[in-house]
Amino acid sequence: MKRKLYYNLLNWKENNIKMPYMLVGARQTGKTYIITEFCKNEFKDYVYINLDVMEEIKKVFEYTINPEEIIKSIEIILGKNIDIEKTIIFIDEIQVSERAISSLKYFCESEKPYKIIVAGSLLGVKINRFKSSFPVGKVWIEYLYPMDFEEFLLAIGEDKLLELIKEKYEEMSPLAEPIHQKALNLYNEYICIGGMPASIMHYIECGKDISKYDDNILNMIITSYFADMSKYTENIEAIRNNKIYNSIPSQLGKENKKFKYSLVEKSARAREYESALEWLLSSNMLLKCQSITMPKSPLKAYVEDNFKIYLSDIGLLRVLSKISINEIMLEKNMLYKGVFVENYIAENLYSKYKELYYWNLGNMYEVDYLINNEGDIIPIEVKASDNTTSRSLNYYISRYKPKYSIRISTKNFGEANGIKSIPLYASFLI
């Protein structure tokens, strides 16, 4: 399946960037697949090393972090000659060895043309908790997220629809109604299955018939997440991670969606659970959206204490919430569907901006998201339907007079009174 990140990998190769390439992302987002495809397609030869299962090679890094010695040891263990001019070395699950991560500095500084690419399911956690000196400035770090709606359309062969959506976004002119409805239907199906590559592949294998889709695919991914929590954390922290993750549907189901530790556990206190929450955020399993009361650049300078937490994938949120596909497709649960829409937009914005912010003024007004467009703070309002009445956005516009505003809903493309109307299926373009 096509991933937009592939072009970033090509850029790294074609510009002969000396720094080892590090791909960070949650489990099951497709890191191993896309890197393996890149290595096969773009290099004469490649070596795959999984440090989670190849204990002998993991021990090599404990003995030395000298690049020449590492390569010679790998050649002996694998019984393979490595031509460093033509071979790329892919080290997977590198987070299990802090020494392996440290060695990347020396691969970068070596005069020899080593081509090293690494990945790991919990690299974000490892980076944040690195005990020795992380090779800052010596690695090229990129992030991989679940497939967005653009990649979903490419995967199911809807290239022409995708190009038309992009064209109409630039023009801010409406799609023909039958095409608009088709795009909305596909968006609803995407909401059900989410962006995990295995989930989208299963949907394709079902003949793109959503009625044949099996939720076990997503349940297995959640199970693997809980397994990671137990494997890579101490017992008490694993329990807290689990409780926080399971609390997200109820956190988002409240009218005031700000995260509350009391919804994790009645007697929970912030100081007991902050470390566990940070672990989940660093692992890219959760996304944090911070409250802003003063919409000025830089937004980070005006962050308040309150925040919301979203899941990294909309499909995982649906199965964790125990909401059936029929409830989404037949619009039987429109109240909670608004939660899915908000989570879906959070995923889109986070993958681009790496930060999320929302604006609120007490309990009176709230705008779902704010983005910084070259110093202009743009408010974004999200609606699950075509009901676009909004007291909060109107108040925000009258008070702060933004350059323009964005409203995302089931309505077609359009623009009026300084508000750009963008259909839900086109939000990946913002």
Side-chain angles (χ1 to χ4, degrees), residues 324 326-335 337:
S324 71
N326 277 343
E327 285 183 83
I328 301 296
M329 298 305 295
L330 301 177
E331 299 190 339
K332 291 182 176 179
N333 194 336
M334 284 304 293
L335 183 62
K337 191 174 181 182

Side-chain angles (χ1 to χ4, degrees), residues 10-61:
L10 281 176
N11 176 64
W12 173 75
K13 178 200 173 190
E14 291 169 359
N15 287 288
N16 293 312
I17 295 172
K18 193 71 173 65
M19 291 183 284
Y21 189 107
M22 176 180 281
L23 188 58
V24 181
R27 185 175 294 282
Q28 301 287 342
T29 50
K31 298 181 299 299
T32 301
Y33 173 84
I34 189 172
I35 294 175
T36 301
E37 287 297 298
F38 171 70
C39 293
K40 285 180 180 178
N41 295 340
E42 308 299 335
F43 292 88
K44 186 173 181 180
D45 195 13
Y46 83 100
V47 173
Y48 175 72
I49 297 166
N50 186 327
L51 293 185
D52 204 25
V53 296
M54 301 172 80
E55 189 66 27
E56 307 93 334
I57 295 180
K58 178 184 173 184
K59 287 179 180 177
V60 168
F61 292 98

Side-chain angles (χ1 to χ4, degrees), residues 7 22 38 60 80 92 113 139 153 160 213 231 269 325 346 365 406 410:
Y7 299 105
M22 176 180 281
F38 171 70
V60 168
K80 177 184 177 68
D92 206 358
V139 290
L153 290 180
K160 289 184 178 179
Y213 182 85
K231 183 177 180 180
R269 297 179 181 180
I325 286 174
Y365 302 101
I406 294 173
T410 57

Side-chain angles (χ1 to χ4, degrees), residues 156-389:
I156 65 173
E158 291 288 352
D159 305 58
K160 289 184 178 179
L161 173 59
L162 176 60
E163 289 307 309
L164 189 57
I165 289 172
K166 290 180 176 180
E167 178 185 317
K168 295 301 181 181
Y169 176 84
E170 291 299 322
E171 298 172 353
M172 207 48 62
S173 61
L175 283 165
E177 192 57 27
I179 298 175
H180 173 64
Q181 289 303 321
K182 175 179 179 175
L184 283 176
N185 289 338
L186 288 172
Y187 154 78
N188 278 326
E189 295 189 0
Y190 174 85
I191 287 290
C192 293
I193 68 174
M196 291 300 193
S199 180
I200 292 177
M201 182 59 71
H202 174 61
Y203 169 79
I204 294 169
E205 290 168 351
C206 291
K208 297 181 282 190
D209 183 346
I210 195 68
S211 67
K212 297 178 180 177
Y213 182 85
D214 186 349
D215 279 352
N216 279 332
I217 296 291
L218 293 171
N219 282 317
M220 287 170 62
I221 293 174
I222 291 176
T223 299
S224 74
Y225 280 8
F226 291 152
D228 276 349
M229 293 176 200
S230 298
K231 183 177 180 180
Y232 294 108
T233 60
E234 295 179 0
N235 187 47
I236 186 65
E237 187 174 38
I239 293 170
R240 288 170 177 168
N241 288 347
N242 195 308
K243 286 181 177 180
I244 290 173
Y245 195 86
N246 275 307
S247 79
I248 302 305
S250 60
Q251 300 273 2
L252 295 176
K254 302 296 182 184
E255 186 175 353
N256 183 342
K257 296 180 179 64
K258 71 178 182 180
F259 184 84
K260 295 180 180 178
Y261 289 100
S262 61
L263 291 177
V264 177
E265 192 174 32
K266 276 190 177 181
S267 59
R269 297 179 181 180
R271 66 173 180 270
E272 298 171 335
Y273 278 85
E274 279 176 339
S275 178
L277 178 58
E278 188 56 40
W279 191 95
L280 290 165
L281 292 168
S282 298
S283 71
N284 287 55
M285 294 181 194
L286 300 180
L287 310 176
K288 187 177 188 178
C289 184
Q290 295 177 287
S291 170
I292 296 284
T293 55
M294 184 61 67
K296 292 183 178 181
S297 179
L299 289 169
K300 185 175 283 189
Y302 301 95
V303 167
E304 301 290 323
D305 291 336
N306 295 328
F307 58 89
K308 301 177 185 179
I309 297 291
Y310 298 100
L311 250 60
S312 61
D313 179 72
I314 189 63
L316 297 180
L317 177 61
R318 182 183 63 78
V319 295
L320 196 67
S321 305
K322 301 191 182 307
I323 290 180
S324 71
I325 286 174
N326 277 343
E327 285 183 83
I328 301 296
M329 298 305 295
L330 301 177
E331 299 190 339
K332 291 182 176 179
N333 194 336
M334 284 304 293
L335 183 62
Y336 206 83
K337 191 174 181 182
V339 170
F340 288 156
V341 170
E342 207 172 305
N343 200 107
Y344 162 77
I345 300 302
E347 294 173 51
N348 278 274
L349 296 177
Y350 191 85
S351 67
K352 283 191 176 181
Y353 295 95
K354 306 297 183 292
E355 295 174 337
L356 293 172
Y357 302 99
Y358 72 100
W359 172 83
N360 75 312
L361 190 62
N363 294 319
M364 297 182 293
Y365 302 101
E366 183 172 299
V367 173
D368 298 308
Y369 298 103
L370 300 175
I371 57 173
N372 190 334
N373 183 7
E374 298 182 352
D376 292 315
I377 306 304
I378 308 301
I380 300 176
E381 181 186 59
V382 180
K383 297 286 188 180
S385 66
D386 60 2
N387 177 13
T388 55
T389 303

